[in-house]
Amino acid sequence: MASLYEDRKVILGIIGTSVVSWNIFVKLRELLKKYTKTTPEWVPVGRIKSLHLYPIKSCKGKEVFQYRCTPLGPVYGEYFDRHFLVVNSEGKFYTARTKPNMVLVETVIENGIVTVSYPEKGSAQFKIDEVKAKKDLRSGYLHVNLRTDGYDCGDSVAEFFSNVLDEPGTRVIMYDSGLFTERTCKTEEGWWNNPVPKRIDDTAYADLAPYMITTQASLNDLNSKLSQNVSSINFRPCIVVDDCAAWDEDKWLDLRIGDVEMQCFKPCTRCILTTVDPESGTKDKDMQPLKKLREFRLGPGKLREEFGESPIFGVNAGLVKPGYIDVGQTVWAKYKPSAF
């Protein structure tokens, strides 16, 4: 009898273990199915049409064939994206929103010497090493009065911009790593209709994100609705992607270009700067393309509550894996579950 009792215990134990094991197996299978179903795949979505960076915020950009992607934004040789800022005597930044002729100021950087020039206004120079050595610290105040410090670039370039902008007391400051900033970008849930990646990104003097990406197809669709075409430069992108569907960028989650990986975390909302003609430095009298974008590119649902009357064109992105990217490279993306 004792032997039979022991055998029953063993049998029941085996059955119990089998039930537990089966339940674990079922749970694992469900998790595996769920993971497989919701994890997006890399899909080729287009190719890089052009690459841009803007040494001085709101001034003329530079189009290049290749650049290095860093956490703070693109770098091409001695050119760093938006590492210089024009401010008034109190540190408040000047922008082409209110000073549209800034987009005509050209910047050349060679052998550590920065040269700025403007049609019929001459030029000015300063040396980056001298600015860093002097360490004349000033505070710059950008959107919503958030502060990012920089080193003053000297009297010559200050006088140049005072003349160009017709604003006495203008100064130029240069970003350097380790300086104080209040402008660290932390993502917020309200920025998309889908879960927003949790990220923390810094920039020099860019508005929000280290990278802003637009597509040629979306620009073409917008231009088809305008009486006069605008260019990608109206939107001041870092990367323009071609050979994809219009507004495809609304759905991008992660991007891969060669060895570089990025993460899209917020649609780019647009303001009056888009109405500034990059060739003439004047605002469009009919407020285009901003007016047209407001007709069909305002975010729906909670995005309308978040962004108000600011229409969406392009996508903000931060860096996951650094490296070099070139014009013509294939862009791969992982898609969000749904678009706007």
Side-chain angles (χ1 to χ4, degrees):
M1 291 292 294
S3 177
L4 179 61
Y5 178 74
E6 292 297 330
D7 289 344
R8 288 178 63 187
K9 283 179 62 178
V10 171
I11 292 170
L12 289 174
I14 292 172
I15 293 173
T17 302
S18 298
V19 170
V20 172
S21 298
W22 175 255
N23 287 335
I24 291 174
F25 170 75
V26 170
K27 290 292 184 183
L28 287 174
R29 185 177 64 180
E30 289 175 354
L31 287 172
L32 182 62
K33 286 174 64 179
K34 181 180 178 182
Y35 179 81
T36 304
K37 182 178 179 181
T38 59
T39 300
E41 299 293 331
W42 287 111
V43 178
V45 295
R47 63 178 180 84
I48 296 179
K49 181 181 186 338
S50 59
L51 297 171
H52 309 262
L53 36 63
Y54 309 85
I56 303 177
K57 185 176 178 64
S58 273
C59 294
K60 188 174 183 178
K62 184 176 182 65
E63 183 173 348
V64 299
F65 178 78
Q66 177 196 72
Y67 60 53
R68 179 164 53 93
C69 295
T70 76
L72 286 178
V75 176
Y76 173 77
E78 299 181 76
Y79 292 85
F80 290 73
D81 187 57
R82 281 167 271 221
H83 266 51
F84 299 96
L85 183 70
V86 185
V87 300
N88 66 15
S89 58
E90 297 177 349
K92 183 66 177 178
F93 80 118
Y94 284 116
T95 166
R97 295 170 180 85
T98 56
K99 299 289 184 180
N101 65 326
M102 289 183 73
V103 301
L104 301 181
V105 176
E106 188 167 4
T107 307
V108 176
I109 307 176
E110 292 180 349
N111 300 317
I113 300 174
V114 179
T115 303
V116 292
S117 59
Y118 183 87
E120 301 180 1
K121 292 282 188 178
S123 63
Q125 291 184 334
F126 62 91
K127 295 181 179 180
I128 292 176
D129 286 346
E130 291 181 359
V131 171
K132 288 184 176 181
K134 192 174 181 181
K135 296 185 184 300
D136 183 2
L137 193 65
R138 291 179 182 263
S139 294
Y141 296 90
L142 291 96
H143 297 291
V144 296
N145 215 35
L146 292 179
R147 170 183 158 196
T148 296
D149 289 348
Y151 294 135
D152 188 87
C153 295
D155 294 336
S156 176
V157 70
E159 183 179 356
F160 169 85
F161 273 101
S162 292
N163 292 333
V164 168
L165 304 183
D166 195 22
E167 293 284 358
T170 297
R171 307 300 297 184
V172 178
I173 61 175
M174 182 183 74
Y175 177 86
D176 199 15
S177 60
L179 296 182
F180 177 82
T181 182
E182 295 177 324
R183 300 177 57 252
T184 296
C185 173
K186 297 181 180 181
T187 55
E188 299 178 12
E189 282 299 318
W191 284 354
W192 236 312
N193 280 338
N194 293 292
V196 177
K198 292 183 178 181
R199 296 186 54 89
I200 297 177
D201 290 276
D202 281 315
T203 64
Y205 299 120
D207 281 350
L208 178 76
Y211 299 88
M212 202 285 291
I213 306 167
T214 66
T215 68
Q216 184 63 39
S218 298
L219 180 68
N220 293 344
D221 186 59
L222 171 61
N223 280 332
S224 72
K225 299 172 172 61
L226 298 172
S227 59
Q228 184 172 344
N229 286 357
V230 297
S231 78
S232 292
I233 304 304
N234 283 70
F235 301 94
R236 300 178 73 80
C238 294
I239 301 171
V240 179
V241 178
D242 205 353
D243 297 337
C244 65
W247 315 113
D248 199 52
E249 65 274 19
D250 292 346
K251 299 174 285 185
W252 294 345
L253 175 62
D254 296 310
L255 296 179
R256 189 180 72 203
I257 308 167
D259 294 330
V260 172
E261 293 184 15
M262 297 181 179
Q263 193 166 50
C264 302
F265 61 80
K266 181 180 178 292
C268 190
T269 51
R270 293 304 177 170
C271 67
I272 198 171
L273 182 56
T274 60
T275 70
V276 176
D277 185 338
E279 298 298 324
S280 67
T282 58
K283 288 180 182 176
D284 184 83
K285 58 182 177 59
D286 296 322
M287 294 292 291
Q288 298 293 8
L290 185 62
K291 185 177 179 181
K292 180 57 67 175
L293 282 171
R294 283 176 175 157
E295 293 179 10
F296 74 107
R297 288 294 294 171
L298 294 179
K302 72 176 184 179
L303 295 185
R304 182 72 60 85
E305 298 175 12
E306 182 77 24
F307 303 135
E309 295 301 306
S310 298
I312 292 164
F313 189 98
V315 61
N316 290 299
L319 193 67
V320 175
K321 184 179 178 182
Y324 287 86
I325 59 176
D326 305 331
V327 170
Q329 273 188 295
T330 299
V331 179
W332 298 73
K334 290 182 179 179
Y335 282 95
K336 300 177 183 299
S338 63
F340 294 147

